[in-house]
Amino acid sequence: RACDCGRGAVFFSVARGKVAEGIDFDRHYGRAVVIIGIPFQYTLSKILRARLEYMKERFQIDEGDFLTFDAMRQASQCMGRVIRSKTDYGIMILADQRYARADKRNKLPAWIRQYLMDSHVNLSTDMAITEAKSFLSKMSTPQKIDQQVGTILLSVDDICQRGAGISYAPDKPYTGQSSTTPSALDEANAQRAAKRSKGGNRAPQGRGEAGNGGDEG
């Protein structure tokens, strides 16, 4: 109710719980997530100790590497609560200097690392607030539909290529107008049907016959 009325709210939870893994906070229900510390497992657990020993003996997996990988996987699971669709956005704050270390940072998934720039590492509180305000201001500004197509939305060419196997140039910048119109799509489908009818009972070709030139079969 606080988010719906525009007041906003702060929600506290622990990692490895139901909120951190099983509940979505999409759209305005979640615009920022702050992770304090690194969510390591309880290392004195007998079950965990037995698992670590087994992996060490059977697969030569180092105990520290596994615990770090598991903690980073859990951290990314928590951060993913605010990004639930291709049109969603949010701020992810890793409030621990250990995340800047290579052994921790390199174990984060690629969809997080690609936005984790060096200029955003080890920020002071004032700098973090400034960056957050700038980001939210930019994302809250309405964009025209032609600016969204090709980034978070599919263009007509994309849809035609996926649905009818019509080839297109993926490196061609989108200009706001599609080169493939519905009439052109109907004509292309008619031509494909005519070719198939001429081929008689010929075995169908693989996906590599059209589109982006994928492997046949």
Side-chain angles (χ1 to χ4, degrees):
R1 289 195 296 269
C3 294
D4 289 335
C5 72
R7 185 179 63 184
V10 178
F11 192 88
F12 291 91
S13 66
V14 296
R16 304 182 184 276
K18 180 179 180 180
V19 173
E21 296 185 3
I23 299 180
D24 296 341
F25 296 94
D26 60 338
R27 298 177 290 117
H28 61 289
Y29 295 112
R31 289 303 185 202
V33 57
V34 181
I35 300 181
I36 301 175
I38 298 179
F40 286 109
Q41 292 193 51
Y42 179 61
T43 56
L44 297 182
S45 169
K46 294 181 179 179
I47 297 177
L48 176 61
R49 299 308 307 177
R51 182 180 302 172
L52 292 174
E53 292 176 2
Y54 173 80
M55 290 188 297
K56 181 68 174 180
E57 296 177 359
R58 185 68 181 271
F59 303 104
Q60 291 75 48
I61 297 178
D62 183 72
E63 175 181 323
D65 290 340
F66 173 79
L67 292 175
T68 300
F69 169 79
D70 180 74
M72 295 301 101
R73 179 177 58 181
Q74 182 60 39
S76 62
Q77 184 77 10
C78 296
M79 289 185 285
R81 296 303 92 198
V82 299
I83 306 295
R84 307 311 302 166
S85 70
K86 62 183 180 181
T87 58
D88 213 349
Y89 64 90
I91 299 175
M92 302 175 184
I93 301 176
L94 301 171
D96 196 306
Q97 291 184 347
R98 289 175 292 177
Y99 285 106
R101 300 176 183 174
D103 63 323
K104 306 293 190 300
R105 184 173 178 177
N106 293 338
K107 288 182 174 61
L108 290 171
W111 67 271
I112 294 179
R113 291 200 312 271
Q114 64 178 328
Y115 297 107
L116 191 60
M117 298 178 290
D118 293 336
S119 59
H120 294 164
V121 177
N122 292 328
L123 294 178
S124 64
T125 302
D126 293 338
M127 294 176 62
I129 293 175
T130 301
E131 290 288 343
K133 288 182 177 180
S134 176
F135 173 79
L136 292 176
S137 176
K138 177 181 178 181
M139 297 303 298
S140 62
T141 303
Q143 293 184 349
K144 297 180 180 180
I145 186 67
D146 58 346
Q147 294 177 339
Q148 301 180 43
V149 174
T151 56
I152 62 174
L153 300 178
L154 294 176
S155 65
V156 177
D157 287 336
D158 295 335
I159 297 174
C160 292
Q161 187 270 337
R162 286 166 171 77
I166 298 177
S167 61
Y168 76 113
D171 56 344
K172 180 181 179 181
Y174 183 75
T175 60
Q177 296 181 351
S178 172
S179 59
T180 306
T181 61
S183 59
L185 176 60
D186 295 337
E187 182 180 355
N189 287 334
Q191 292 176 357
R192 288 166 61 85
K195 291 181 180 179
R196 290 175 180 172
S197 62
K198 291 181 180 179
N201 296 326
R202 185 181 61 180
Q205 296 291 330
R207 293 184 179 180
E209 180 181 1
N212 289 330
D215 296 333
E216 292 187 0

